[in-house]
Amino acid sequence: GQQVMQIPQYQHVQEGEDFTTYCNSSTTLSNIQWYKQRPGGHPVFLIQLVKSGEVKKQKRLTFQFGEAKKNSSLHITATQTTDVGTYFCVTGTASKLTFGTGTRLQVTL
Amino acid sequence: DAGITQSPRHKVTETGTPVTLRCHQTENHRYMYWYRQDPGHGLRLIHYSYGVKDTDKGEVSDGYSVSRSKTEDFLLTLESATSSQTSVYFCAISEQYSSGANVLTFGAGSRLTVL
């Protein structure tokens, strides 16, 4: 199946700083999804990107899909303590969805 | 809300004992999944089901079996638990959003410790 690598594995920021996580694949992806998992919780769907070069925004979160559809990024502007958690990129079909290893974000005041 | 319930939520067992985790959904979703989550590995697919009695292996299926005799229930069985199966297990269903995206919705998870 498709494999996706996420970087960084962990990032610690101060509240108000920006944060970006990257998802990279060696093969072309049909789509990319992003999920957030709060500490002690379960992953929750954030968004799906399908088109080459697609950019979507959700409040302070900006999601991009690369032109070659081999990478994606999630950028958070002015982080807040509520952004704490692990962010996963996910790709594949309904029968085989593959998770990246995730980026754990810690935000301190 | 997809109405996904996992049971038990926590279990401690000994090596060599059988363990069954249950996932129950209330909305007749066709696809159901079992993932395990371990530090440094993200979520890895164990088995999935695409209908009653229709199941297939994921990337880490060794040591696990599944059954789906009813649409609403998907059981994960560890025939003889090992310490390497200590993990958090998540059940999920796939549902299609109006945007066309096939989205996973997860249960709350089952934490299994094998001593």
Side-chain angles (χ1 to χ4, degrees):
Chain A
Q2 293 178 318
Q3 291 190 333
V4 287
M5 302 298 295
Q6 269 188 266
I7 54 171
Q9 288 188 8
Y10 172 76
Q11 188 153 6
H12 183 182
V13 301
Q14 289 199 315
E15 190 176 46
E17 293 181 334
D18 291 355
F19 160 78
T20 305
T21 174
Y22 300 90
C23 184
N24 299 303
S25 172
S26 57
T27 59
T28 302
L29 304 171
S30 58
N31 63 76
I32 194 88
Q33 296 182 354
W34 286 92
Y35 290 73
K36 176 184 177 181
Q37 183 178 23
R38 295 182 186 274
H42 56 274
V44 174
F45 174 75
L46 294 176
I47 208 157
Q48 173 166 292
L49 305 171
V50 178
K51 300 176 183 176
S52 169
E54 189 170 13
V55 178
K56 289 187 176 180
K57 293 189 176 185
Q58 289 180 350
K59 297 182 180 179
R60 295 178 293 105
L61 278 61
T62 302
F63 304 85
Q64 292 189 327
F65 202 7
E67 293 289 341
K69 300 181 72 173
K70 290 185 176 182
N71 56 73
S72 181
S73 65
L74 159 58
H75 179 82
I76 302 178
T77 303
T79 55
Q80 300 176 358
T81 55
T82 54
D83 295 323
V84 165
T86 301
Y87 294 84
F88 294 97
C89 61
V90 180
T91 191
T93 64
S95 59
K96 289 284 178 70
L97 283 161
T98 301
F99 278 71
T101 50
T103 296
R104 186 160 70 92
L105 173 64
Q106 179 64 34
V107 181
T108 52
L109 295 172
Chain B
D1 185 2
I4 303 169
T5 306
Q6 290 186 231
S7 59
R9 293 290 315 282
H10 298 89
K11 186 171 182 64
V12 180
T13 191
E14 294 187 345
T15 299
T17 59
V19 175
T20 295
L21 305 180
R22 178 177 182 248
C23 179
H24 178 80
Q25 58 140 331
T26 58
E27 296 190 358
N28 286 328
H29 293 288
R30 180 182 173 199
Y31 279 89
M32 298 184 76
Y33 308 81
W34 276 107
Y35 285 87
R36 62 177 288 174
Q37 184 171 32
D38 306 288
H41 289 279
L43 282 90
R44 293 180 291 175
L45 182 64
I46 306 171
H47 282 279
Y48 69 97
S49 170
Y50 46 97
V52 172
K53 297 189 185 333
D54 291 323
T55 65
D56 204 352
K57 296 179 179 180
E59 61 183 298
V60 289
S61 59
D62 287 349
Y64 301 95
S65 62
V66 290
S67 66
R68 193 166 178 200
S69 58
K70 297 184 292 184
T71 299
E72 58 265 37
D73 290 326
F74 192 32
L75 304 181
L76 176 70
T77 298
L78 292 66
E79 300 290 349
S80 177
T82 67
S83 58
S84 65
Q85 293 176 311
T86 292
S87 188
V88 179
Y89 292 85
F90 286 100
C91 174
I93 59 91
S94 176
E95 54 185 331
Q96 189 168 45
Y97 279 22
S98 57
S99 64
N102 286 301
V103 173
L104 291 176
T105 301
F106 287 85
S110 297
R111 182 176 293 275
L112 175 66
T113 301
V114 184
L115 302 175

